[in-house]
Amino acid sequence: GVEYRRDGGLHAIRARREWEDLPILAIGKGLAAAGRLALLDSGAHDVVPATEDLSEAMTLLRLRIEHRIHHLSLEATDSATGLPSRRA
């Protein structure tokens, strides 16, 4: 079994082999820097501030996802040739 921790279950997700590469976007309200760092240290890829405005929250999520997709595409492309990387 997986022991209980106060990291929102991130350790349990990372403990499952089939989910080890799953991108995790944590949503937190009123988190201090230490709380955000703890989530990132636990395996979250990014922490988005919670907001009362649903359209603002959706915009933040969309931007974070687009940013992640862009970086993944850069990693999959050789910077010198622009061709697909063998590392991907």
Side-chain angles (χ1 to χ4, degrees), residues 50-68:
T51 176
E52 300 293 324
D53 181 359
L54 184 57
S55 64
E56 181 182 351
M58 295 305 290
T59 298
L60 285 171
L61 289 171
R62 182 181 52 77
L63 289 172
R64 299 290 171 97
I65 291 168
E66 288 174 359
H67 181 75
R68 179 74 178 145

Side-chain angles (χ1 to χ4, degrees), residues 25-46:
L25 191 62
I27 301 172
K29 185 171 185 172
L31 290 175
R36 290 189 301 274
L37 288 174
L39 285 168
L40 293 169
D41 286 343
S42 295
H45 287 89
D46 202 353

Side-chain angles (χ1 to χ4, degrees):
V2 178
E3 66 189 65
Y4 174 77
R5 297 183 196 166
R6 296 189 61 187
D7 67 358
L10 291 174
H11 69 284
I13 292 170
R14 293 295 178 226
R16 298 194 58 154
R17 184 180 266 335
E18 66 270 21
W19 292 347
E20 65 187 0
D21 294 325
L22 181 71
I24 297 175
L25 191 62
I27 301 172
K29 185 171 185 172
L31 290 175
R36 290 189 301 274
L37 288 174
L39 285 168
L40 293 169
D41 286 343
S42 295
H45 287 89
D46 202 353
V47 180
V48 175
T51 176
E52 300 293 324
D53 181 359
L54 184 57
S55 64
E56 181 182 351
M58 295 305 290
T59 298
L60 285 171
L61 289 171
R62 182 181 52 77
L63 289 172
R64 299 290 171 97
I65 291 168
E66 288 174 359
H67 181 75
R68 179 74 178 145
I69 289 170
H70 175 72
H71 280 280
L72 288 173
S73 69
L74 290 177
E75 290 173 6
T77 305
D78 184 285
S79 61
T81 64
L83 298 173
S85 173
R86 287 185 258 171
R87 291 174 282 171

